[in-house]
Amino acid sequence: MKNLISMRDVSKEDILELLDLAAKIENKEVHPDLSGKLGALLFFEPSTRTHFSFDTAIKKLGGQSFSMSGTSSTSVKKGETLADTLMTISQYADFIVMRHKIEGAARFAAETVDIPVINAGDGTNQHPTQAMLDLYSIKKTQGTLENLTIAMIGDLRLGRTVHSLAQALSEFNPTFYFASPRHLQMPQYIKDELTAKGVRFEEVEDIHPIMPHLDIMYVTRIQKERFAVLEDYEKVKDAYIVTPELLEEVKENFKLLHPLPRVNEITTEVDKTPYAYYFQQAKNGVFMRQAIITKLMNLI
Ligand code: CP
């Protein structure tokens, strides 16, 4: 692994190795050393968790970072191309973490520069480091990744996290339920990939009947910023709202995950239930991102 661009490029062996490494880092069994190395955090799109957890991960590994949040104070505003920006940054940094609104931008970056590139989200396409921290969170809460029943609900078309996570989990014999408003369903190419791998999945509208069967419910935000027409967003924004009442018949091991940010798809009352795991999930992101940097930079 030189780059991390898409979960499609990551083997089951790579996944298991990263999960093991993240656990060892969390448990302080290994101490990878990034001192003397500089990570460039290029966020062309807004971010809280991915940006700051990567920054935290770099600093916890003893490395240093510099950041871009939006393009307003950069030469992108003067018309510099993405290729020229990337080539320039690669003269300074030892690796690049990049979020961009265009699908394929991270792949383009990896083909443009000769330092490692980590995809921190490219449009509606992929968010592989999120998928890896989601797997880490699922493994921590369930003790295994194998044979789990997992519902993904919300915006499954425009939300990139579920694309990467469905591909990653497909290595572990899951049973999926997909629930989304019409027009925001899981893309056909992902469903085709799952079918080709023999993965069981069902698209449902009503989530109430499936609740007692689930190990994990992965809730996502409707991606307002990716709608061309605001009225279309208004029509679907409250399609699924998780409340404590919805969770009354869930299994004991059930956990509720969300990549965050949330808008109103999980009420704050749910935060107090034993099922809410989304803030611990965000914390797990630091350990997993330390592991990803460690592997790509060959630190151990
Ligand atoms: N989960 C996630 O990608 O959050 P941010 O957009 O805040 O980075």
Side-chain angles (χ1 to χ4, degrees):
M1 276 175 83
K2 185 191 166 204
N3 307 295
L4 179 52
I5 306 301
S6 165
M7 283 315 292
R8 205 182 283 116
D9 307 334
V10 184
S11 68
K12 185 170 183 176
E13 289 68 35
D14 288 333
I15 290 173
L16 295 174
E17 190 189 328
L18 283 169
L19 291 171
D20 185 53
L21 185 53
K24 285 184 174 145
I25 289 170
E26 179 174 4
N27 297 327
K28 302 194 186 323
E29 291 168 37
V30 292
H31 302 276
D33 182 7
L34 191 66
S35 60
K37 301 291 183 191
L38 189 55
L41 303 174
L42 305 184
F43 281 76
F44 292 82
E45 274 195 327
S47 169
T48 298
R49 275 143 294 274
T50 314
H51 191 159
F52 294 121
S53 66
F54 260 115
D55 207 8
T56 305
I58 290 168
K59 285 166 181 157
K60 279 182 174 250
L61 290 170
Q64 292 183 297
S65 65
F66 62 88
S67 281
M68 185 190 92
S69 295
T71 56
S72 60
S73 62
T74 73
S75 287
V76 174
K77 281 286 162 208
K78 302 175 202 163
E80 186 168 56
T81 64
L82 180 58
D84 282 2
T85 299
L86 289 164
M87 278 303 292
T88 304
I89 295 296
S90 74
Q91 310 307 309
Y92 311 144
D94 296 292
F95 64 97
I96 289 175
V97 177
M98 187 177 86
R99 171 171 289 185
H100 201 283
K101 68 178 179 187
I102 297 175
E103 292 81 8
R107 181 85 60 199
F108 173 77
E111 288 166 1
T112 302
V113 299
D114 58 8
I115 58 174
V117 173
I118 300 173
N119 184 3
D122 61 326
T124 62
N125 185 31
Q126 283 279 319
H127 196 345
T129 68
Q130 179 70 45
M132 283 307 311
L133 78 88
D134 294 339
L135 293 183
Y136 188 57
S137 300
I138 294 169
K139 176 109 187 288
K140 275 175 82 171
T141 61
Q142 306 297 314
T144 180
L145 292 175
E146 301 283 351
N147 308 317
L148 298 174
T149 301
I150 296 160
M152 297 186 179
I153 75 168
D155 188 343
L156 306 186
R157 181 166 73 92
L158 304 172
R160 55 198 168 203
T161 62
V162 288
H163 306 160
S164 297
L165 184 58
Q167 286 171 328
L169 280 166
S170 70
E171 301 290 336
F172 300 93
N173 193 34
T175 299
F176 286 132
Y177 291 100
F178 298 142
S180 56
R182 273 184 65 212
H183 310 303
L184 296 179
Q185 290 161 331
M186 189 63 89
Q188 192 59 46
Y189 74 91
I190 300 276
K191 291 188 280 189
D192 289 345
E193 285 179 23
L194 297 178
T195 302
K197 284 182 149 183
V199 174
R200 293 170 299 280
F201 67 88
E202 190 181 334
E203 294 183 292
V204 297
E205 272 186 43
D206 183 4
I207 54 175
H208 290 84
I210 64 172
M211 295 307 296
H213 307 294
L214 301 179
D215 299 304
I216 295 286
M217 175 175 263
Y218 192 90
V219 184
T220 62
R221 174 179 69 90
I222 307 291
Q223 303 269 303
K224 181 180 182 182
E225 68 276 23
R226 304 197 197 280
F227 278 68
V229 180
L230 193 59
E231 291 90 65
D232 290 344
Y233 167 75
E234 295 291 337
K235 279 182 211 155
V236 295
K237 69 182 168 77
D238 296 328
Y240 295 99
I241 297 179
V242 178
T243 62
E245 292 69 41
L246 181 71
L247 307 178
E248 274 169 7
E249 291 185 28
V250 296
K251 297 197 308 193
E252 214 171 300
N253 63 307
F254 173 87
K255 289 292 179 221
L256 191 61
L257 271 64
H258 191 312
L260 303 176
R262 72 173 151 188
V263 182
N264 63 346
E265 56 279 356
I266 301 176
T267 67
T268 53
E269 288 76 42
V270 173
D271 299 358
K272 297 188 276 288
T273 72
Y275 309 115
Y277 193 74
Y278 23 92
F279 291 113
Q280 294 99 313
Q281 181 186 354
K283 181 173 182 177
N284 289 335
V286 174
F287 307 122
M288 179 47 74
R289 287 172 172 133
Q290 283 180 272
I292 290 166
I293 293 166
T294 296
K295 185 165 166 62
L296 294 187
M297 296 299 289
N298 296 310
L299 300 186
I300 53 176

